[in-house]
Amino acid sequence: MPSLPQQQPGGALPVSAKIFLSLGAVSACASVVFSAAFAHLPVFAGGIPAMVQTALTQQQFHSLGLVLVGLAVERLGASRWLLASGGLMLTGLILFSFNLYARNVLGFDAFRAAVPWGGGAWITAWLFAAVGFVRR
């Protein structure tokens, strides 16, 4: 039976696990705040556009993905695959969700071409997570 990774003294989490866990939780919190705020913004008086709903849904899902990666780092160790997965999930949040919010709420459209890169970052993040889960 394989042994579990040794915890740091005092039961402290690895720094990377703390980062992914805390950013995942903050991002999940922000998605709830954004959902509530968008429901009351005058710019969305006619309803929240489908692309903003998609951005919110993806933010919520990938926030949980960040938490999952943080837990995996704590349990399996900070492999390059898991660290890259967490970094790509964060990148996807910025390039996809926050980019769509900026476009629809603020009218800032300069980084429209980055949205597909955010989706690609998420796809790659999940693949890297899968490799990180099985390779130790």
Side-chain angles (χ1 to χ4, degrees), residues 62-102:
H62 289 91
S63 296
L64 293 177
L66 267 174
V67 170
L68 176 66
V69 169
L71 292 173
V73 167
E74 186 271 332
R75 177 86 171 150
L76 303 173
S79 74
R80 65 179 176 205
W81 296 102
L82 292 175
L83 296 176
S85 176
L88 286 166
M89 287 209 191
L90 289 169
T91 300
L93 285 169
I94 294 166
L95 295 180
F96 188 90
S97 291
F98 295 123
N99 194 345
L100 288 176
Y101 302 150

Side-chain angles (χ1 to χ4, degrees), residues 4 14 24 36 46 72 84 89 106 109 113 117:
L4 295 175
M89 287 209 191
L106 305 174
D109 200 24
W117 289 98

